[in-house]
Amino acid sequence: MNMSATTRTEQRAVASLASLYALRMLGLFMVLPVMMIHGQSLSGATPQLLGLAMGVYGLTQALLQIPAGALSDRIGRKPVIIGGLVIFALGSIIAASADSVYGVIFGRALQGCGAIASAIMALVTDLTREEHRMKAMASIGASIGLSFSVALILGPWLAGMGGLSLIFGLTAALAIGGLLVTLWVIPNPPAQPHRDATAVMAEVGKQLRNLRLWPLNLGIFLLHALMVAIFVAIPGQLTLSGLTPDHHSWLYLPVLGVAFVLMVPLIIIAEKKRQMKNVVLIAALIIAAALIGMSQAHQLWHWIGLLLLYFWGFNLMEASLPSWLSKIAPAGAKGSAMGIYSSMQFMGAFVGGSLGGWVLQNYGVNVLFVGLGVLVVLWAIVIGQSSAPQHLTSVRLTTDGNCSELQLASLMSLPGVSEVLHLADECAVYLKVSADVFDRNQASAIIHSTGDNHGSQR
């Protein structure tokens, strides 16, 4: 297989798009560890409304995620990204200038309307070659994880200097910086149809009915509901334990670092030893134990240990669930399956914030933590009934638009191939393969052969 090095254009494109995605998510996440404390000064603030302010971006993001991606196929990636960043900056400015909780809720909802994630991922596909695309997508994923960790550390520090207004103002500045990067740094290639990168509306409906995907969709929904819901309660509990709000960053910094280090060996086991299901179950039980333990935590050292457990499990699931989904998504349907998955992720953030604030206000922190822990256990039972994923990956091969039944049968007979989908209008063949044994050059030779001898390649 030709494994040529990435070009400077590809490197620049991936670096700029990863930073663009990360800076946007940084702006969304920085308020999580500080909203419930610094938002109390807002007019009309209640725990329920502050929780809604934390998570409402997820509602608008979830509703617009797939349509924005489809729009980028029609009018181009950059117009959608530029428009989304302008809307995101406007929402940030509104939230920064708000003196009531309702103004912040409106600003956060508007931030979510700048739904550019799917357009960014599609642009990565347009700007990278097939053999480097997985590495490019991994770089984007790593940047998102890093932005979350940095946000939890920066949020309390910035809020201590200038409150929520400083955080939202900085978020607007980051969005404007992203706008300049989009206009002048990121290349502007023609859009390429690619069903592993973008959702296809007709395929979305089909994958909504794919029952194999729903345990994972529910898993990411629950994981991001937890992410927002626990920050409805944790900042106040840390303060009651004797840690002043401006020092919360000093707790998150080592906890997140150690949790990341603990995650790596299990991720390697999940992928290399093909133990994805067992690792996900372990992660779910770690999270459930941490949440139930939080209902009984009173001292600071309790919170240090429990947050370490929680983020260990959270990082494991955050890394494992999309990998599992990509393995089981049908050939040519990965983009649509991931679109649904991402929408459920953002919808979880909305439900976690709004419902978490309501539970905290009406029933208290103990009920909140125990309830969340029970939900994780119930989901673990569901995922425990699911089949472990085969370790398959998606491959797309271009054609001249024609591919005979004999050629398709020959592709299907290749070692490691489990699915073949030919899309003549896209001039492409999508495969689900075991990367350990699949030979891309052999498959390409079959597709581009003009002879009649396309027998089995075993």
Side-chain angles (χ1 to χ4, degrees), residues 367-431:
V367 172
L368 175 64
F369 287 129
V370 171
L372 293 173
V374 170
L375 288 176
V376 176
V377 171
L378 292 175
W379 178 79
I381 294 172
V382 171
I383 203 70
Q385 303 303 309
S386 302
S387 300
Q390 292 181 282
H391 279 245
L392 303 176
T393 189
S394 300
V395 172
R396 180 183 185 271
L397 301 172
T398 57
T399 73
D400 60 3
N402 299 310
C403 206
S404 69
E405 292 296 326
L406 192 55
Q407 286 172 299
L408 295 177
S410 296
L411 287 172
M412 191 66 197
S413 71
L414 286 176
V417 175
S418 65
E419 289 183 61
V420 176
L421 174 67
H422 177 223
L423 296 173
D425 57 337
E426 195 178 311
C427 297
V429 172
Y430 290 88
L431 310 172

Short mmCIF file of all heavy atoms in Angstrom, two decimals, residues 367-431:
data_model
loop_
_atom_site.label_atom_id
_atom_site.label_comp_id
_atom_site.label_asym_id
_atom_site.label_seq_id
_atom_site.Cartn_x
_atom_site.Cartn_y
_atom_site.Cartn_z
N VAL A 367 -29.64 13.06 45.80
CA VAL A 367 -30.55 12.43 44.83
C VAL A 367 -29.98 12.56 43.42
O VAL A 367 -30.06 11.62 42.62
CB VAL A 367 -31.95 13.07 44.92
CG1 VAL A 367 -32.84 12.57 43.78
CG2 VAL A 367 -32.60 12.75 46.26
N LEU A 368 -29.39 13.71 43.12
CA LEU A 368 -28.81 13.91 41.79
C LEU A 368 -27.72 12.89 41.51
O LEU A 368 -27.74 12.20 40.47
CB LEU A 368 -28.24 15.33 41.68
CG LEU A 368 -27.51 15.65 40.38
CD1 LEU A 368 -28.45 15.60 39.19
CD2 LEU A 368 -26.84 17.02 40.46
N PHE A 369 -26.76 12.75 42.41
CA PHE A 369 -25.64 11.85 42.17
C PHE A 369 -26.08 10.39 42.14
O PHE A 369 -25.65 9.62 41.28
CB PHE A 369 -24.55 12.05 43.22
CG PHE A 369 -23.77 13.33 43.05
CD1 PHE A 369 -23.59 14.20 44.11
CD2 PHE A 369 -23.22 13.66 41.82
CE1 PHE A 369 -22.86 15.38 43.95
CE2 PHE A 369 -22.50 14.84 41.65
CZ PHE A 369 -22.32 15.69 42.72
N VAL A 370 -26.93 9.98 43.09
CA VAL A 370 -27.38 8.59 43.11
C VAL A 370 -28.21 8.28 41.86
O VAL A 370 -28.04 7.22 41.23
CB VAL A 370 -28.19 8.29 44.38
CG1 VAL A 370 -28.85 6.91 44.29
CG2 VAL A 370 -27.30 8.36 45.61
N GLY A 371 -29.08 9.21 41.47
CA GLY A 371 -29.89 9.00 40.27
C GLY A 371 -29.04 8.84 39.03
O GLY A 371 -29.29 7.95 38.20
N LEU A 372 -28.01 9.66 38.90
CA LEU A 372 -27.11 9.55 37.75
C LEU A 372 -26.36 8.22 37.77
O LEU A 372 -26.19 7.57 36.72
CB LEU A 372 -26.12 10.72 37.73
CG LEU A 372 -26.71 12.11 37.48
CD1 LEU A 372 -25.64 13.18 37.66
CD2 LEU A 372 -27.33 12.21 36.09
N GLY A 373 -25.92 7.81 38.96
CA GLY A 373 -25.23 6.53 39.06
C GLY A 373 -26.10 5.36 38.67
O GLY A 373 -25.65 4.44 37.97
N VAL A 374 -27.36 5.37 39.07
CA VAL A 374 -28.30 4.30 38.70
C VAL A 374 -28.52 4.27 37.20
O VAL A 374 -28.57 3.19 36.59
CB VAL A 374 -29.63 4.49 39.45
CG1 VAL A 374 -30.70 3.55 38.90
CG2 VAL A 374 -29.44 4.25 40.95
N LEU A 375 -28.62 5.44 36.57
CA LEU A 375 -28.79 5.48 35.11
C LEU A 375 -27.60 4.84 34.39
O LEU A 375 -27.78 4.13 33.40
CB LEU A 375 -28.98 6.93 34.65
CG LEU A 375 -30.31 7.59 34.99
CD1 LEU A 375 -30.30 9.05 34.56
CD2 LEU A 375 -31.47 6.86 34.30
N VAL A 376 -26.41 5.09 34.90
CA VAL A 376 -25.22 4.50 34.28
C VAL A 376 -25.24 2.97 34.42
O VAL A 376 -24.91 2.24 33.49
CB VAL A 376 -23.93 5.08 34.88
CG1 VAL A 376 -22.71 4.39 34.29
CG2 VAL A 376 -23.84 6.58 34.62
N VAL A 377 -25.65 2.47 35.59
CA VAL A 377 -25.75 1.02 35.80
C VAL A 377 -26.76 0.42 34.83
O VAL A 377 -26.52 -0.64 34.23
CB VAL A 377 -26.12 0.70 37.26
CG1 VAL A 377 -26.43 -0.78 37.42
CG2 VAL A 377 -24.99 1.10 38.20
N LEU A 378 -27.91 1.07 34.67
CA LEU A 378 -28.92 0.56 33.74
C LEU A 378 -28.40 0.52 32.31
O LEU A 378 -28.64 -0.44 31.57
CB LEU A 378 -30.18 1.43 33.83
CG LEU A 378 -30.96 1.36 35.15
CD1 LEU A 378 -32.12 2.36 35.14
CD2 LEU A 378 -31.48 -0.06 35.39
N TRP A 379 -27.66 1.57 31.92
CA TRP A 379 -27.08 1.56 30.58
C TRP A 379 -26.04 0.46 30.44
O TRP A 379 -25.95 -0.19 29.38
CB TRP A 379 -26.44 2.91 30.25
CG TRP A 379 -25.82 2.89 28.89
CD1 TRP A 379 -26.46 3.02 27.69
CD2 TRP A 379 -24.43 2.69 28.59
NE1 TRP A 379 -25.54 2.91 26.65
CE2 TRP A 379 -24.31 2.70 27.17
CE3 TRP A 379 -23.30 2.50 29.37
CZ2 TRP A 379 -23.07 2.54 26.55
CZ3 TRP A 379 -22.07 2.33 28.75
CH2 TRP A 379 -21.96 2.36 27.35
N ALA A 380 -25.26 0.21 31.49
CA ALA A 380 -24.26 -0.86 31.45
C ALA A 380 -24.94 -2.21 31.21
O ALA A 380 -24.40 -3.07 30.50
CB ALA A 380 -23.45 -0.88 32.74
N ILE A 381 -26.11 -2.40 31.79
CA ILE A 381 -26.86 -3.65 31.56
C ILE A 381 -27.26 -3.75 30.09
O ILE A 381 -27.16 -4.82 29.47
CB ILE A 381 -28.10 -3.70 32.47
CG1 ILE A 381 -27.66 -3.81 33.94
CG2 ILE A 381 -29.01 -4.86 32.09
CD1 ILE A 381 -28.79 -3.67 34.94
N VAL A 382 -27.69 -2.63 29.51
CA VAL A 382 -28.08 -2.61 28.09
C VAL A 382 -26.88 -2.94 27.20
O VAL A 382 -26.96 -3.79 26.30
CB VAL A 382 -28.68 -1.25 27.70
CG1 VAL A 382 -28.88 -1.15 26.19
CG2 VAL A 382 -30.00 -1.02 28.42
N ILE A 383 -25.76 -2.27 27.43
CA ILE A 383 -24.58 -2.49 26.57
C ILE A 383 -24.02 -3.89 26.80
O ILE A 383 -23.42 -4.49 25.90
CB ILE A 383 -23.51 -1.40 26.81
CG1 ILE A 383 -22.59 -1.27 25.58
CG2 ILE A 383 -22.70 -1.68 28.04
CD1 ILE A 383 -23.23 -0.69 24.37
N GLY A 384 -24.24 -4.43 28.00
CA GLY A 384 -23.79 -5.78 28.28
C GLY A 384 -24.51 -6.83 27.45
O GLY A 384 -23.97 -7.91 27.19
N GLN A 385 -25.74 -6.50 27.00
CA GLN A 385 -26.51 -7.41 26.15
C GLN A 385 -26.14 -7.27 24.67
O GLN A 385 -26.58 -8.08 23.85
CB GLN A 385 -28.01 -7.14 26.31
CG GLN A 385 -28.52 -7.25 27.74
CD GLN A 385 -28.24 -8.59 28.37
OE1 GLN A 385 -28.55 -9.62 27.79
NE2 GLN A 385 -27.65 -8.58 29.56
N SER A 386 -25.35 -6.26 24.33
CA SER A 386 -24.97 -6.03 22.93
C SER A 386 -23.80 -6.93 22.56
O SER A 386 -22.99 -7.32 23.40
CB SER A 386 -24.57 -4.56 22.72
OG SER A 386 -25.61 -3.69 23.08
N SER A 387 -23.72 -7.24 21.27
CA SER A 387 -22.60 -8.05 20.77
C SER A 387 -21.33 -7.20 20.75
O SER A 387 -21.36 -6.01 20.43
CB SER A 387 -22.90 -8.54 19.36
OG SER A 387 -24.07 -9.33 19.35
N ALA A 388 -20.22 -7.82 21.11
CA ALA A 388 -18.94 -7.12 21.01
C ALA A 388 -18.66 -6.79 19.55
O ALA A 388 -18.96 -7.59 18.66
CB ALA A 388 -17.82 -8.00 21.58
N PRO A 389 -18.08 -5.63 19.28
CA PRO A 389 -17.88 -5.24 17.87
C PRO A 389 -16.75 -6.02 17.23
O PRO A 389 -15.73 -6.32 17.86
CB PRO A 389 -17.52 -3.75 17.98
CG PRO A 389 -16.87 -3.63 19.33
CD PRO A 389 -17.59 -4.60 20.21
N GLN A 390 -16.95 -6.37 15.95
CA GLN A 390 -15.82 -6.83 15.16
C GLN A 390 -14.90 -5.64 14.89
O GLN A 390 -15.37 -4.51 14.75
CB GLN A 390 -16.30 -7.41 13.83
CG GLN A 390 -17.07 -8.70 13.94
CD GLN A 390 -17.47 -9.20 12.56
OE1 GLN A 390 -18.41 -8.70 11.94
NE2 GLN A 390 -16.74 -10.19 12.07
N HIS A 391 -13.62 -5.89 14.81
CA HIS A 391 -12.68 -4.78 14.63
C HIS A 391 -12.51 -4.51 13.13
O HIS A 391 -11.56 -4.95 12.49
CB HIS A 391 -11.36 -5.08 15.33
CG HIS A 391 -11.43 -4.79 16.79
ND1 HIS A 391 -10.70 -3.80 17.40
CD2 HIS A 391 -12.21 -5.32 17.76
CE1 HIS A 391 -11.00 -3.76 18.69
NE2 HIS A 391 -11.90 -4.67 18.93
N LEU A 392 -13.51 -3.78 12.61
CA LEU A 392 -13.56 -3.45 11.19
C LEU A 392 -13.34 -1.95 11.00
O LEU A 392 -13.62 -1.15 11.90
CB LEU A 392 -14.90 -3.86 10.59
CG LEU A 392 -15.30 -5.33 10.72
CD1 LEU A 392 -16.70 -5.55 10.18
CD2 LEU A 392 -14.29 -6.23 10.01
N THR A 393 -12.90 -1.60 9.83
CA THR A 393 -12.74 -0.19 9.48
C THR A 393 -13.37 0.06 8.12
O THR A 393 -13.65 -0.88 7.36
CB THR A 393 -11.25 0.21 9.46
OG1 THR A 393 -11.13 1.62 9.31
CG2 THR A 393 -10.51 -0.47 8.31
N SER A 394 -13.63 1.31 7.82
CA SER A 394 -14.28 1.69 6.56
C SER A 394 -13.23 2.10 5.54
O SER A 394 -12.26 2.78 5.88
CB SER A 394 -15.26 2.85 6.79
OG SER A 394 -16.27 2.48 7.70
N VAL A 395 -13.46 1.71 4.30
CA VAL A 395 -12.57 2.07 3.19
C VAL A 395 -13.42 2.55 2.03
O VAL A 395 -14.46 1.95 1.73
CB VAL A 395 -11.70 0.88 2.75
CG1 VAL A 395 -10.92 1.21 1.48
CG2 VAL A 395 -10.74 0.47 3.86
N ARG A 396 -12.99 3.61 1.39
CA ARG A 396 -13.69 4.12 0.20
C ARG A 396 -12.71 4.09 -0.97
O ARG A 396 -11.60 4.60 -0.89
CB ARG A 396 -14.15 5.57 0.43
CG ARG A 396 -14.88 6.20 -0.76
CD ARG A 396 -15.22 7.65 -0.42
NE ARG A 396 -16.01 8.30 -1.43
CZ ARG A 396 -15.52 8.96 -2.48
NH1 ARG A 396 -14.19 9.02 -2.65
NH2 ARG A 396 -16.32 9.54 -3.35
N LEU A 397 -13.15 3.49 -2.08
CA LEU A 397 -12.35 3.41 -3.29
C LEU A 397 -13.10 4.10 -4.42
O LEU A 397 -14.32 3.91 -4.57
CB LEU A 397 -12.07 1.95 -3.66
CG LEU A 397 -11.32 1.11 -2.61
CD1 LEU A 397 -11.29 -0.35 -3.04
CD2 LEU A 397 -9.91 1.63 -2.41
N THR A 398 -12.40 4.90 -5.20
CA THR A 398 -13.04 5.59 -6.31
C THR A 398 -13.08 4.70 -7.54
O THR A 398 -12.21 3.85 -7.76
CB THR A 398 -12.28 6.89 -6.64
OG1 THR A 398 -10.92 6.58 -6.94
CG2 THR A 398 -12.33 7.85 -5.48
N THR A 399 -14.13 4.89 -8.34
CA THR A 399 -14.30 4.15 -9.59
C THR A 399 -14.57 5.14 -10.72
O THR A 399 -14.69 6.35 -10.50
CB THR A 399 -15.49 3.17 -9.49
OG1 THR A 399 -16.72 3.92 -9.53
CG2 THR A 399 -15.45 2.37 -8.20
N ASP A 400 -14.70 4.62 -11.92
CA ASP A 400 -15.07 5.47 -13.05
C ASP A 400 -16.57 5.55 -13.22
O ASP A 400 -17.07 6.05 -14.22
CB ASP A 400 -14.42 4.96 -14.34
CG ASP A 400 -14.86 3.53 -14.68
OD1 ASP A 400 -15.70 2.97 -13.92
OD2 ASP A 400 -14.36 2.98 -15.68
N GLY A 401 -17.30 5.07 -12.22
CA GLY A 401 -18.76 5.08 -12.27
C GLY A 401 -19.35 3.74 -12.61
O GLY A 401 -20.53 3.49 -12.35
N ASN A 402 -18.56 2.85 -13.17
CA ASN A 402 -19.03 1.53 -13.55
C ASN A 402 -18.31 0.48 -12.73
O ASN A 402 -17.09 0.54 -12.54
CB ASN A 402 -18.78 1.27 -15.03
CG ASN A 402 -19.51 2.26 -15.91
OD1 ASN A 402 -20.70 2.48 -15.73
ND2 ASN A 402 -18.80 2.89 -16.85
N CYS A 403 -19.06 -0.49 -12.25
CA CYS A 403 -18.47 -1.59 -11.50
C CYS A 403 -19.41 -2.78 -11.65
O CYS A 403 -20.57 -2.73 -11.24
CB CYS A 403 -18.31 -1.22 -10.03
SG CYS A 403 -16.99 -2.11 -9.19
N SER A 404 -18.91 -3.84 -12.32
CA SER A 404 -19.77 -4.98 -12.65
C SER A 404 -20.07 -5.81 -11.41
O SER A 404 -19.38 -5.72 -10.38
CB SER A 404 -19.10 -5.85 -13.70
OG SER A 404 -17.96 -6.51 -13.16
N GLU A 405 -21.10 -6.66 -11.53
CA GLU A 405 -21.43 -7.57 -10.44
C GLU A 405 -20.27 -8.52 -10.16
O GLU A 405 -20.01 -8.87 -9.01
CB GLU A 405 -22.69 -8.37 -10.81
CG GLU A 405 -23.97 -7.55 -10.87
CD GLU A 405 -24.33 -6.96 -9.51
OE1 GLU A 405 -24.07 -7.63 -8.49
OE2 GLU A 405 -24.87 -5.83 -9.46
N LEU A 406 -19.55 -8.89 -11.21
CA LEU A 406 -18.41 -9.78 -11.04
C LEU A 406 -17.30 -9.10 -10.24
O LEU A 406 -16.66 -9.71 -9.39
CB LEU A 406 -17.89 -10.23 -12.41
CG LEU A 406 -16.89 -11.39 -12.42
CD1 LEU A 406 -17.45 -12.60 -11.70
CD2 LEU A 406 -16.50 -11.73 -13.85
N GLN A 407 -17.07 -7.81 -10.54
CA GLN A 407 -16.06 -7.07 -9.77
C GLN A 407 -16.46 -6.94 -8.31
O GLN A 407 -15.64 -7.09 -7.41
CB GLN A 407 -15.86 -5.69 -10.40
CG GLN A 407 -15.07 -5.70 -11.70
CD GLN A 407 -15.06 -4.34 -12.35
OE1 GLN A 407 -16.13 -3.81 -12.70
NE2 GLN A 407 -13.88 -3.76 -12.53
N LEU A 408 -17.74 -6.65 -8.06
CA LEU A 408 -18.21 -6.52 -6.68
C LEU A 408 -18.09 -7.85 -5.94
O LEU A 408 -17.71 -7.88 -4.76
CB LEU A 408 -19.65 -6.02 -6.67
CG LEU A 408 -19.89 -4.61 -7.23
CD1 LEU A 408 -21.37 -4.27 -7.22
CD2 LEU A 408 -19.11 -3.57 -6.43
N ALA A 409 -18.40 -8.95 -6.64
CA ALA A 409 -18.26 -10.27 -6.02
C ALA A 409 -16.79 -10.56 -5.71
O ALA A 409 -16.47 -11.15 -4.67
CB ALA A 409 -18.84 -11.34 -6.94
N SER A 410 -15.90 -10.13 -6.61
CA SER A 410 -14.47 -10.35 -6.38
C SER A 410 -13.99 -9.54 -5.18
O SER A 410 -13.16 -10.01 -4.39
CB SER A 410 -13.67 -9.97 -7.63
OG SER A 410 -14.00 -10.81 -8.71
N LEU A 411 -14.50 -8.31 -5.04
CA LEU A 411 -14.15 -7.50 -3.87
C LEU A 411 -14.63 -8.19 -2.59
O LEU A 411 -13.92 -8.24 -1.59
CB LEU A 411 -14.78 -6.11 -3.98
CG LEU A 411 -14.16 -5.14 -4.98
CD1 LEU A 411 -15.03 -3.90 -5.12
CD2 LEU A 411 -12.75 -4.76 -4.56
N MET A 412 -15.84 -8.71 -2.64
CA MET A 412 -16.41 -9.35 -1.46
C MET A 412 -15.61 -10.59 -1.07
O MET A 412 -15.56 -10.96 0.11
CB MET A 412 -17.87 -9.72 -1.73
CG MET A 412 -18.64 -10.16 -0.51
SD MET A 412 -18.82 -8.80 0.69
CE MET A 412 -19.27 -9.72 2.17
N SER A 413 -14.95 -11.23 -2.06
CA SER A 413 -14.21 -12.46 -1.78
C SER A 413 -12.80 -12.19 -1.25
O SER A 413 -12.10 -13.12 -0.85
CB SER A 413 -14.11 -13.30 -3.06
OG SER A 413 -13.24 -12.71 -4.00
N LEU A 414 -12.38 -10.93 -1.25
CA LEU A 414 -11.04 -10.61 -0.75
C LEU A 414 -10.93 -10.90 0.74
O LEU A 414 -11.90 -10.70 1.50
CB LEU A 414 -10.71 -9.15 -1.00
CG LEU A 414 -10.37 -8.73 -2.43
CD1 LEU A 414 -10.17 -7.22 -2.50
CD2 LEU A 414 -9.11 -9.44 -2.91
N PRO A 415 -9.77 -11.34 1.21
CA PRO A 415 -9.57 -11.56 2.64
C PRO A 415 -9.84 -10.28 3.44
O PRO A 415 -9.36 -9.21 3.08
CB PRO A 415 -8.10 -11.96 2.74
CG PRO A 415 -7.76 -12.52 1.40
CD PRO A 415 -8.57 -11.73 0.42
N GLY A 416 -10.65 -10.40 4.49
CA GLY A 416 -10.91 -9.28 5.39
C GLY A 416 -12.11 -8.43 5.03
O GLY A 416 -12.49 -7.57 5.81
N VAL A 417 -12.73 -8.65 3.86
CA VAL A 417 -13.86 -7.81 3.44
C VAL A 417 -15.16 -8.42 3.96
O VAL A 417 -15.44 -9.60 3.75
CB VAL A 417 -13.92 -7.69 1.90
CG1 VAL A 417 -15.17 -6.91 1.48
CG2 VAL A 417 -12.66 -7.00 1.39
N SER A 418 -15.97 -7.60 4.64
CA SER A 418 -17.25 -8.10 5.17
C SER A 418 -18.45 -7.43 4.51
O SER A 418 -19.55 -7.98 4.54
CB SER A 418 -17.32 -7.88 6.68
OG SER A 418 -17.31 -6.50 7.00
N GLU A 419 -18.29 -6.25 3.94
CA GLU A 419 -19.39 -5.56 3.26
C GLU A 419 -18.85 -4.80 2.05
O GLU A 419 -17.73 -4.28 2.08
CB GLU A 419 -20.08 -4.53 4.18
CG GLU A 419 -20.91 -5.11 5.30
CD GLU A 419 -21.59 -3.99 6.09
OE1 GLU A 419 -22.39 -3.24 5.48
OE2 GLU A 419 -21.30 -3.87 7.29
N VAL A 420 -19.69 -4.73 1.01
CA VAL A 420 -19.36 -3.95 -0.19
C VAL A 420 -20.60 -3.16 -0.60
O VAL A 420 -21.69 -3.72 -0.69
CB VAL A 420 -18.91 -4.85 -1.36
CG1 VAL A 420 -18.68 -4.03 -2.62
CG2 VAL A 420 -17.67 -5.64 -0.99
N LEU A 421 -20.43 -1.86 -0.84
CA LEU A 421 -21.52 -1.02 -1.32
C LEU A 421 -21.02 -0.18 -2.48
O LEU A 421 -20.06 0.58 -2.34
CB LEU A 421 -22.02 -0.09 -0.20
CG LEU A 421 -23.09 0.94 -0.61
CD1 LEU A 421 -24.40 0.24 -0.99
CD2 LEU A 421 -23.32 1.96 0.51
N HIS A 422 -21.68 -0.31 -3.65
CA HIS A 422 -21.29 0.46 -4.84
C HIS A 422 -22.29 1.60 -5.04
O HIS A 422 -23.50 1.38 -5.07
CB HIS A 422 -21.29 -0.46 -6.07
CG HIS A 422 -20.98 0.27 -7.34
ND1 HIS A 422 -21.67 0.05 -8.52
CD2 HIS A 422 -20.07 1.24 -7.61
CE1 HIS A 422 -21.18 0.84 -9.46
NE2 HIS A 422 -20.22 1.57 -8.92
N LEU A 423 -21.77 2.81 -5.15
CA LEU A 423 -22.60 3.99 -5.42
C LEU A 423 -22.13 4.61 -6.73
O LEU A 423 -21.15 5.36 -6.76
CB LEU A 423 -22.49 4.99 -4.27
CG LEU A 423 -23.01 4.51 -2.91
CD1 LEU A 423 -22.68 5.50 -1.82
CD2 LEU A 423 -24.51 4.25 -2.97
N ALA A 424 -22.84 4.28 -7.81
CA ALA A 424 -22.41 4.73 -9.13
C ALA A 424 -22.46 6.25 -9.26
O ALA A 424 -21.59 6.86 -9.89
CB ALA A 424 -23.29 4.09 -10.21
N ASP A 425 -23.47 6.90 -8.64
CA ASP A 425 -23.60 8.35 -8.77
C ASP A 425 -22.47 9.08 -8.05
O ASP A 425 -22.15 10.23 -8.37
CB ASP A 425 -24.96 8.83 -8.24
CG ASP A 425 -25.18 8.44 -6.79
OD1 ASP A 425 -24.55 7.48 -6.32
OD2 ASP A 425 -26.01 9.09 -6.13
N GLU A 426 -21.83 8.44 -7.08
CA GLU A 426 -20.71 9.02 -6.35
C GLU A 426 -19.37 8.53 -6.90
O GLU A 426 -18.32 8.99 -6.46
CB GLU A 426 -20.82 8.67 -4.87
CG GLU A 426 -19.95 9.49 -3.94
CD GLU A 426 -20.14 9.13 -2.48
OE1 GLU A 426 -21.31 9.07 -2.03
OE2 GLU A 426 -19.13 8.90 -1.80
N CYS A 427 -19.43 7.59 -7.85
CA CYS A 427 -18.21 6.99 -8.41
C CYS A 427 -17.34 6.42 -7.30
O CYS A 427 -16.14 6.70 -7.22
CB CYS A 427 -17.42 8.00 -9.24
SG CYS A 427 -18.31 8.60 -10.70
N ALA A 428 -17.95 5.62 -6.43
CA ALA A 428 -17.23 5.11 -5.27
C ALA A 428 -17.76 3.74 -4.87
O ALA A 428 -18.92 3.40 -5.11
CB ALA A 428 -17.34 6.07 -4.10
N VAL A 429 -16.87 2.97 -4.25
CA VAL A 429 -17.23 1.71 -3.60
C VAL A 429 -16.80 1.82 -2.14
O VAL A 429 -15.66 2.20 -1.85
CB VAL A 429 -16.53 0.51 -4.26
CG1 VAL A 429 -16.76 -0.75 -3.44
CG2 VAL A 429 -17.03 0.30 -5.67
N TYR A 430 -17.73 1.53 -1.23
CA TYR A 430 -17.44 1.55 0.19
C TYR A 430 -17.32 0.12 0.70
O TYR A 430 -18.14 -0.74 0.36
CB TYR A 430 -18.55 2.28 0.97
CG TYR A 430 -18.59 3.76 0.73
CD1 TYR A 430 -19.32 4.30 -0.32
CD2 TYR A 430 -17.88 4.63 1.55
CE1 TYR A 430 -19.35 5.67 -0.55
CE2 TYR A 430 -17.91 6.00 1.34
CZ TYR A 430 -18.65 6.51 0.30
OH TYR A 430 -18.67 7.87 0.09
N LEU A 431 -16.31 -0.12 1.52
CA LEU A 431 -16.06 -1.44 2.07
C LEU A 431 -15.95 -1.38 3.58
O LEU A 431 -15.52 -0.37 4.14
CB LEU A 431 -14.74 -2.02 1.52
CG LEU A 431 -14.49 -2.00 0.01
CD1 LEU A 431 -13.07 -2.42 -0.28
CD2 LEU A 431 -15.47 -2.91 -0.70
#
